[in-house]
Amino acid sequence: MSNEKQVDSGRRGLLVATCAAGGVVGLATTGALVSTFQPSERAKAAGAPVEVDISTLKPGEMKTAEWRGKPVWILKRTPEMMASLAKTQDKVADPDSLKPYTMPMPDYCEKQSRSRKEHADVLIAVGICSHLGCSPSSKFAPGAQPSLPDDWAGGFLCPCHGSTFDLSGRVYKNKPAPQNLDVPRHMYLSDTKIVIGKDEKGEA
């Protein structure tokens, strides 16, 4: 009788250990499955599209997202900022963005605003200077400031070598930067959510 009890308890212990191990493997497998639904760091670096919520973005404000390891600016321009684009039209080197930097400007973007017609006030641009790859600083306030002209209309200043860009990311004439800031392919899922790196034609 005592031998049978020992065998039963041994089997019971083995069964408990097996179930516990199975539970750990099951949890690990579930974790692996859940993680596969999240974009991996490699996928992000390779250029997986990025969704950005702009519901809290107010006129005159800018937020930065990351796409392909680069900063992408989303600037919601005020009516005054939009009006400044006509003033800088003759001062920028490539007003119609005919000379792309690393990607052509999407054909659905208007030339002056460099944004979609239905969201003309929102600029989406890669914040990398076309000279040596520095990231320009925002200088939205108009008027004379250090390192800027007296008739400054607002825009961006590259701290590395002094290239200046207007509020559409167009580089001013006679600056080290040879091209405008890139405008990536993008689309609106709604008025408050955008996708960077993807549009109606597919992924960039």
Side-chain angles (χ1 to χ4, degrees):
M1 292 290 263
S2 60
N3 287 339
E4 289 179 9
K5 286 182 181 177
Q6 287 176 357
V7 171
D8 286 345
S9 66
R11 285 180 178 168
R12 190 178 297 113
L14 182 61
L15 182 62
V16 169
T18 304
C19 288
V24 171
V25 172
L27 286 172
T29 305
T30 302
L33 288 173
V34 169
S35 68
T36 59
F37 293 107
Q38 305 292 333
S40 67
E41 291 305 316
R42 181 178 296 178
K44 289 178 183 177
V50 177
E51 287 187 18
V52 183
D53 184 350
I54 60 170
S55 60
T56 61
L57 199 60
K58 296 175 183 176
E61 291 183 347
M62 184 178 82
K63 72 186 304 182
T64 303
E66 184 180 341
W67 175 65
R68 291 185 175 173
K70 298 176 181 178
V72 176
W73 298 332
I74 301 104
L75 170 63
K76 189 172 180 65
R77 295 170 289 198
T78 64
E80 293 77 17
M81 287 175 156
M82 293 298 293
S84 75
L85 302 180
K87 298 174 184 176
T88 59
Q89 184 77 9
D90 295 332
K91 299 177 181 179
V92 295
D94 184 13
D96 295 334
S97 296
L98 300 178
K99 295 181 269 185
Y101 177 32
T102 68
M103 59 187 78
M105 188 173 76
D107 56 10
Y108 42 76
C109 288
E110 295 188 321
K111 290 185 167 82
Q112 190 174 83
S113 68
R114 303 182 83 222
S115 56
R116 285 179 175 263
K117 186 176 182 180
E118 65 274 19
H119 296 280
D121 59 329
V122 180
L123 171 69
I124 299 171
V126 179
I128 298 293
C129 179
S130 58
H131 181 218
L132 292 176
C134 297
S135 187
S137 303
S138 57
K139 299 289 183 180
F140 298 154
Q145 298 165 59
S147 304
L148 293 170
D150 291 346
D151 62 348
W152 179 245
F156 305 92
L157 168 67
C158 184
C160 293
H161 300 94
S163 293
T164 48
F165 302 83
D166 73 356
L167 288 164
S168 275
R170 300 178 297 181
V171 68
Y172 279 84
K173 294 176 182 177
N174 304 315
K175 296 295 179 178
Q179 287 106 358
N180 298 335
L181 300 179
D182 280 330
V183 173
R185 286 166 57 182
H186 60 277
M187 61 189 291
Y188 285 77
L189 298 179
S190 68
D191 286 340
T192 60
K193 185 166 285 189
I194 60 174
V195 177
I196 299 167
K198 181 179 180 180
D199 58 19
E200 292 81 358
K201 298 178 181 178
E203 292 187 18

